[in-house]
Amino acid sequence: MIGDTRPSWHLHRYLQGSANLFEENRLLKFAIAGLFGVSMVLGTVIYSTNQGQRTVIVPFGAAGDLYVTGSKPSETYLRTITFNIVSLAGTYSAYSADRQFQELLTIVHPSAYNALRDSLSHLLGELENNPTLSISTYIRGDQPVTYTATEILVPVEKVRVIGGVIRKFRGNLRIRYATENGRFWLTALQEENFNADIR
């Protein structure tokens, strides 16, 4: 006994205070964990909403469902952009090629810009050496155009005219692309399996 107070009473008060402090800290930990969980759920909801956001792109004079949802273009949009790329990159002459190639380069992704520009500059050099050369490229109707999330494979027929001599070729044009923030980017153009048409 110390006066009228037992020593165990002080120990009991210390232990009681420690228990209350531990209980408060545990509640604080639960509150922080709960807030973190709510933040994760809200972040997931916002991300999902952004992925489902639709960007409507309708050029002047165009029609149809031309839109990009998240990073996925509509089928009509891909058909339209395919037609435009084939026209710009596949049908040209010494008089029109420079303007067309400059327009094509506006949709080329920055990571592929230099390589594609150099390739188109090589074609311009050939046209300077052969001013009577002209190329016309058509999408074939007897073969399907196939689309994936990153590529478009287009069966085409190419007609080359030089000095009055006409030759026809058939093959595929592979268009590689990316969609970022609702914008279409051309990443590569590649001609494959071209053979002279023997009809």
Side-chain angles (χ1 to χ4, degrees):
M1 296 283 295
I2 300 175
D4 292 333
T5 307
R6 296 177 184 273
S8 62
W9 173 251
H10 293 292
L11 181 61
H12 177 72
R13 287 178 59 192
Y14 175 76
L15 292 175
Q16 183 68 28
S18 297
N20 290 339
L21 184 61
F22 178 76
E23 192 70 27
E24 289 174 5
N25 285 342
R26 188 166 59 180
L27 289 174
L28 182 60
K29 290 176 184 176
F30 283 138
I32 290 173
L35 287 174
F36 181 74
V38 169
S39 299
M40 289 288 293
V41 170
L42 288 176
T44 303
V45 169
I46 291 171
Y47 176 78
S48 300
T49 302
N50 286 340
Q51 288 301 304
Q53 184 177 2
R54 177 177 293 183
T55 302
V56 179
I57 305 169
V58 182
F60 178 77
D65 296 326
L66 306 180
Y67 60 82
V68 177
T69 302
S71 60
K72 183 178 180 182
S74 68
E75 188 174 337
T76 304
Y77 180 84
L78 285 178
R79 281 199 305 266
T80 302
I81 201 74
T82 299
F83 178 80
N84 289 339
I85 290 173
V86 170
S87 296
L88 290 173
T91 301
Y92 53 85
S93 66
Y95 303 103
S96 66
D98 187 50
R99 177 183 53 80
Q100 288 180 218
F101 293 168
Q102 290 298 327
E103 187 173 348
L104 182 65
L105 287 172
T106 63
I107 63 170
V108 175
H109 194 272
S111 64
Y113 185 88
N114 289 336
L116 195 53
R117 182 196 58 196
D118 292 345
S119 177
L120 295 176
S121 295
H122 179 71
L123 286 177
L124 288 174
E126 288 185 6
L127 291 169
E128 287 180 3
N129 295 330
N130 301 288
T132 61
L133 172 63
S134 65
I135 302 287
S136 297
T137 304
Y138 308 95
I139 299 175
R140 292 172 57 186
D142 60 334
Q143 297 288 329
V145 178
T146 56
Y147 303 95
T148 69
T150 58
E151 289 186 350
I152 306 168
L153 188 62
V154 192
V156 295
E157 180 174 272
K158 180 183 286 191
V159 180
R160 185 181 71 180
V161 180
I162 181 169
V165 179
I166 300 174
R167 291 199 69 188
K168 294 183 180 180
F169 302 86
R170 284 187 169 185
N172 295 318
L173 180 64
R174 188 177 297 274
I175 301 170
R176 291 189 174 91
Y177 71 93
T179 310
E180 297 176 358
N181 299 321
R183 177 169 179 173
F184 180 95
W185 289 107
L186 177 63
T187 59
L189 277 176
Q190 185 176 353
E191 293 182 341
E192 299 176 346
N193 304 321
F194 269 86
N195 296 309
D197 186 2
I198 58 174
R199 289 179 302 167

